[in-house]
Amino acid sequence: MQGKYNLFFDSSVLISALNSPYGGAGIVLSACRAGEFSLYVSDQVLEEVERNIQEKFPLIQKRFINFILSRPTVVSGTSLLEIRHAHALIKTNDAPILAAAIKVKPDFLITWDIKHFLKASVVDAVSFTICTPQDFIRMYWKR
């Protein structure tokens, strides 16, 4: 793959990036902010992140606000049909997030949810790579 990658972050990676700017997810987020990659999130990802920050990570509230002010591309309007299709692949409340990723067709969906998103049945059914931040870093900087 050549050129600028389109990355879709799920909520686990966005929280990790905001909480640990020097960890793998934080490094990838910094590269997005620098214009090296295009970043996509869904409206549900933002809702989940906001809820988790309020409940568990109040100290990163300012970082989340700064992230929102950076104007990431937000995927919204995922249809019930798209969510049902995704639910056939990932039978959890993560189906709307997978549906949004399928809708935007990123090069990579980056997640820490290994249990659900990295199942072979999910990975084999989508047209993009699903990986952790560290796996993405290894793939990208290996080239």
Short mmCIF file of all heavy atoms in Angstrom, two decimals, residues 17-52:
data_model
loop_
_atom_site.label_atom_id
_atom_site.label_comp_id
_atom_site.label_asym_id
_atom_site.label_seq_id
_atom_site.Cartn_x
_atom_site.Cartn_y
_atom_site.Cartn_z
N ALA A 17 -5.00 6.14 23.45
CA ALA A 17 -4.18 7.21 22.87
C ALA A 17 -4.24 8.48 23.71
O ALA A 17 -3.22 9.15 23.91
CB ALA A 17 -4.63 7.51 21.45
N LEU A 18 -5.43 8.81 24.19
CA LEU A 18 -5.59 10.02 25.00
C LEU A 18 -4.97 9.84 26.39
O LEU A 18 -4.42 10.78 26.96
CB LEU A 18 -7.07 10.36 25.14
CG LEU A 18 -7.79 10.74 23.84
CD1 LEU A 18 -9.28 10.87 24.08
CD2 LEU A 18 -7.22 12.01 23.24
N ASN A 19 -5.04 8.63 26.92
CA ASN A 19 -4.54 8.35 28.26
C ASN A 19 -3.02 8.17 28.29
O ASN A 19 -2.38 8.47 29.29
CB ASN A 19 -5.23 7.11 28.83
CG ASN A 19 -5.02 6.96 30.31
OD1 ASN A 19 -5.07 7.93 31.06
ND2 ASN A 19 -4.78 5.74 30.74
N SER A 20 -2.47 7.67 27.21
CA SER A 20 -1.04 7.39 27.16
C SER A 20 -0.47 7.88 25.83
O SER A 20 -0.27 7.10 24.90
CB SER A 20 -0.82 5.87 27.32
OG SER A 20 0.54 5.56 27.31
N PRO A 21 -0.20 9.17 25.72
CA PRO A 21 0.23 9.74 24.44
C PRO A 21 1.53 9.16 23.88
O PRO A 21 1.79 9.28 22.69
CB PRO A 21 0.41 11.23 24.74
CG PRO A 21 -0.20 11.48 26.06
CD PRO A 21 -0.34 10.17 26.76
N TYR A 22 2.34 8.51 24.74
CA TYR A 22 3.62 7.96 24.27
C TYR A 22 3.55 6.46 24.06
O TYR A 22 4.55 5.84 23.69
CB TYR A 22 4.74 8.34 25.24
CG TYR A 22 4.85 9.84 25.39
CD1 TYR A 22 4.45 10.47 26.56
CD2 TYR A 22 5.32 10.62 24.35
CE1 TYR A 22 4.52 11.85 26.69
CE2 TYR A 22 5.39 12.00 24.47
CZ TYR A 22 4.99 12.61 25.64
OH TYR A 22 5.05 13.96 25.77
N GLY A 23 2.38 5.86 24.26
CA GLY A 23 2.18 4.45 23.97
C GLY A 23 1.89 4.27 22.48
O GLY A 23 1.83 5.24 21.71
N GLY A 24 1.68 3.03 22.08
CA GLY A 24 1.45 2.74 20.67
C GLY A 24 0.28 3.51 20.07
O GLY A 24 0.40 4.12 19.00
N ALA A 25 -0.86 3.51 20.75
CA ALA A 25 -2.03 4.21 20.24
C ALA A 25 -1.77 5.72 20.19
O ALA A 25 -2.18 6.39 19.24
CB ALA A 25 -3.25 3.91 21.11
N GLY A 26 -1.09 6.24 21.20
CA GLY A 26 -0.76 7.66 21.22
C GLY A 26 0.15 8.07 20.08
O GLY A 26 0.00 9.15 19.50
N ILE A 27 1.09 7.20 19.75
CA ILE A 27 2.01 7.48 18.64
C ILE A 27 1.24 7.54 17.32
O ILE A 27 1.45 8.43 16.50
CB ILE A 27 3.13 6.41 18.59
CG1 ILE A 27 4.07 6.59 19.79
CG2 ILE A 27 3.89 6.47 17.27
CD1 ILE A 27 5.03 5.43 20.00
N VAL A 28 0.31 6.59 17.13
CA VAL A 28 -0.48 6.59 15.90
C VAL A 28 -1.38 7.82 15.84
O VAL A 28 -1.49 8.47 14.79
CB VAL A 28 -1.29 5.29 15.76
CG1 VAL A 28 -2.14 5.31 14.49
CG2 VAL A 28 -0.37 4.07 15.74
N LEU A 29 -2.00 8.19 16.97
CA LEU A 29 -2.82 9.39 17.00
C LEU A 29 -1.98 10.64 16.68
O LEU A 29 -2.40 11.50 15.91
CB LEU A 29 -3.52 9.56 18.35
CG LEU A 29 -4.38 10.81 18.51
CD1 LEU A 29 -5.48 10.87 17.45
CD2 LEU A 29 -4.98 10.86 19.90
N SER A 30 -0.78 10.72 17.22
CA SER A 30 0.10 11.86 16.92
C SER A 30 0.43 11.93 15.43
O SER A 30 0.47 13.02 14.85
CB SER A 30 1.40 11.75 17.73
OG SER A 30 1.14 11.94 19.09
N ALA A 31 0.66 10.78 14.83
CA ALA A 31 0.94 10.75 13.39
C ALA A 31 -0.28 11.21 12.59
O ALA A 31 -0.13 11.90 11.58
CB ALA A 31 1.37 9.34 12.97
N CYS A 32 -1.48 10.87 13.06
CA CYS A 32 -2.70 11.35 12.40
C CYS A 32 -2.79 12.87 12.51
O CYS A 32 -3.10 13.55 11.53
CB CYS A 32 -3.94 10.71 13.03
SG CYS A 32 -4.12 8.95 12.69
N ARG A 33 -2.53 13.38 13.70
CA ARG A 33 -2.59 14.83 13.91
C ARG A 33 -1.56 15.57 13.06
O ARG A 33 -1.78 16.71 12.66
CB ARG A 33 -2.40 15.16 15.38
CG ARG A 33 -3.60 14.82 16.22
CD ARG A 33 -3.37 15.15 17.65
NE ARG A 33 -4.61 15.08 18.40
CZ ARG A 33 -4.66 15.03 19.72
NH1 ARG A 33 -3.56 15.04 20.43
NH2 ARG A 33 -5.83 14.97 20.32
N ALA A 34 -0.44 14.90 12.79
CA ALA A 34 0.62 15.50 11.96
C ALA A 34 0.30 15.40 10.47
O ALA A 34 1.06 15.89 9.64
CB ALA A 34 1.96 14.83 12.27
N GLY A 35 -0.81 14.74 10.13
CA GLY A 35 -1.22 14.64 8.74
C GLY A 35 -0.68 13.44 8.01
O GLY A 35 -0.87 13.30 6.79
N GLU A 36 -0.02 12.54 8.72
CA GLU A 36 0.54 11.36 8.07
C GLU A 36 -0.54 10.35 7.66
O GLU A 36 -0.38 9.62 6.69
CB GLU A 36 1.56 10.69 8.99
CG GLU A 36 2.46 9.74 8.28
CD GLU A 36 3.73 9.45 9.05
OE1 GLU A 36 4.14 10.24 9.92
OE2 GLU A 36 4.33 8.42 8.74
N PHE A 37 -1.62 10.31 8.43
CA PHE A 37 -2.75 9.41 8.16
C PHE A 37 -4.03 10.20 8.29
O PHE A 37 -4.09 11.21 8.98
CB PHE A 37 -2.80 8.25 9.17
CG PHE A 37 -1.50 7.53 9.35
CD1 PHE A 37 -0.81 7.60 10.55
CD2 PHE A 37 -0.95 6.78 8.32
CE1 PHE A 37 0.39 6.94 10.72
CE2 PHE A 37 0.25 6.11 8.48
CZ PHE A 37 0.93 6.19 9.69
N SER A 38 -5.09 9.69 7.66
CA SER A 38 -6.43 10.25 7.84
C SER A 38 -7.13 9.42 8.91
O SER A 38 -7.14 8.20 8.83
CB SER A 38 -7.22 10.19 6.54
OG SER A 38 -6.61 10.99 5.56
N LEU A 39 -7.72 10.09 9.89
CA LEU A 39 -8.35 9.41 11.01
C LEU A 39 -9.86 9.50 10.93
O LEU A 39 -10.41 10.58 10.70
CB LEU A 39 -7.87 10.01 12.33
CG LEU A 39 -8.50 9.44 13.60
CD1 LEU A 39 -8.23 7.95 13.74
CD2 LEU A 39 -8.00 10.19 14.82
N TYR A 40 -10.51 8.37 11.15
CA TYR A 40 -11.96 8.28 11.19
C TYR A 40 -12.39 7.67 12.52
O TYR A 40 -11.72 6.76 13.03
CB TYR A 40 -12.49 7.39 10.06
CG TYR A 40 -12.24 7.96 8.69
CD1 TYR A 40 -11.02 7.78 8.06
CD2 TYR A 40 -13.22 8.67 8.03
CE1 TYR A 40 -10.78 8.30 6.80
CE2 TYR A 40 -13.00 9.21 6.78
CZ TYR A 40 -11.77 9.01 6.17
OH TYR A 40 -11.53 9.54 4.93
N VAL A 41 -13.48 8.17 13.06
CA VAL A 41 -14.14 7.58 14.22
C VAL A 41 -15.64 7.67 13.93
O VAL A 41 -16.06 8.43 13.08
CB VAL A 41 -13.81 8.31 15.55
CG1 VAL A 41 -12.34 8.15 15.93
CG2 VAL A 41 -14.19 9.77 15.48
N SER A 42 -16.40 6.89 14.66
CA SER A 42 -17.86 6.98 14.49
C SER A 42 -18.45 7.81 15.62
O SER A 42 -17.80 8.02 16.67
CB SER A 42 -18.49 5.60 14.48
OG SER A 42 -18.43 5.00 15.75
N ASP A 43 -19.67 8.27 15.42
CA ASP A 43 -20.34 9.01 16.49
C ASP A 43 -20.48 8.13 17.73
O ASP A 43 -20.35 8.61 18.85
CB ASP A 43 -21.67 9.58 16.03
CG ASP A 43 -22.57 8.59 15.31
OD1 ASP A 43 -22.22 7.40 15.18
OD2 ASP A 43 -23.64 9.02 14.86
N GLN A 44 -20.69 6.82 17.54
CA GLN A 44 -20.79 5.93 18.71
C GLN A 44 -19.44 5.81 19.44
O GLN A 44 -19.41 5.74 20.66
CB GLN A 44 -21.29 4.55 18.32
CG GLN A 44 -21.44 3.68 19.56
CD GLN A 44 -22.20 2.40 19.31
OE1 GLN A 44 -22.75 2.19 18.25
NE2 GLN A 44 -22.21 1.54 20.29
N VAL A 45 -18.35 5.79 18.70
CA VAL A 45 -17.03 5.76 19.34
C VAL A 45 -16.88 6.99 20.23
O VAL A 45 -16.46 6.88 21.39
CB VAL A 45 -15.89 5.70 18.29
CG1 VAL A 45 -14.54 6.04 18.91
CG2 VAL A 45 -15.84 4.31 17.64
N LEU A 46 -17.24 8.15 19.71
CA LEU A 46 -17.12 9.38 20.51
C LEU A 46 -18.01 9.33 21.75
O LEU A 46 -17.59 9.75 22.83
CB LEU A 46 -17.45 10.60 19.66
CG LEU A 46 -16.48 10.89 18.52
CD1 LEU A 46 -16.92 12.11 17.73
CD2 LEU A 46 -15.06 11.05 19.02
N GLU A 47 -19.22 8.80 21.61
CA GLU A 47 -20.11 8.67 22.77
C GLU A 47 -19.53 7.72 23.81
O GLU A 47 -19.56 8.01 25.01
CB GLU A 47 -21.49 8.16 22.32
CG GLU A 47 -22.29 9.18 21.54
CD GLU A 47 -23.55 8.57 20.93
OE1 GLU A 47 -24.01 7.50 21.39
OE2 GLU A 47 -24.08 9.18 19.98
N GLU A 48 -19.00 6.59 23.36
CA GLU A 48 -18.40 5.63 24.30
C GLU A 48 -17.19 6.23 25.00
O GLU A 48 -17.02 6.05 26.21
CB GLU A 48 -17.95 4.37 23.56
CG GLU A 48 -19.03 3.39 23.27
CD GLU A 48 -18.48 2.10 22.66
OE1 GLU A 48 -17.34 1.70 22.98
OE2 GLU A 48 -19.21 1.49 21.86
N VAL A 49 -16.36 6.92 24.25
CA VAL A 49 -15.17 7.54 24.84
C VAL A 49 -15.58 8.60 25.86
O VAL A 49 -15.04 8.63 26.98
CB VAL A 49 -14.26 8.13 23.74
CG1 VAL A 49 -13.16 8.99 24.35
CG2 VAL A 49 -13.66 7.01 22.90
N GLU A 50 -16.51 9.44 25.50
CA GLU A 50 -16.96 10.48 26.43
C GLU A 50 -17.51 9.86 27.72
O GLU A 50 -17.18 10.30 28.83
CB GLU A 50 -18.01 11.36 25.78
CG GLU A 50 -18.46 12.51 26.67
CD GLU A 50 -19.41 13.45 25.96
OE1 GLU A 50 -20.18 13.02 25.08
OE2 GLU A 50 -19.38 14.65 26.30
N ARG A 51 -18.34 8.84 27.59
CA ARG A 51 -18.92 8.17 28.76
C ARG A 51 -17.84 7.54 29.63
O ARG A 51 -17.83 7.70 30.85
CB ARG A 51 -19.94 7.11 28.31
CG ARG A 51 -20.67 6.44 29.44
CD ARG A 51 -21.74 5.46 28.98
NE ARG A 51 -21.21 4.42 28.10
CZ ARG A 51 -21.42 4.32 26.79
NH1 ARG A 51 -22.16 5.21 26.17
NH2 ARG A 51 -20.90 3.33 26.09
N ASN A 52 -16.88 6.86 29.02
CA ASN A 52 -15.80 6.22 29.78
C ASN A 52 -14.88 7.23 30.45
O ASN A 52 -14.41 7.01 31.56
CB ASN A 52 -15.00 5.28 28.88
CG ASN A 52 -15.67 3.95 28.72
OD1 ASN A 52 -15.73 3.16 29.66
ND2 ASN A 52 -16.19 3.67 27.54
#
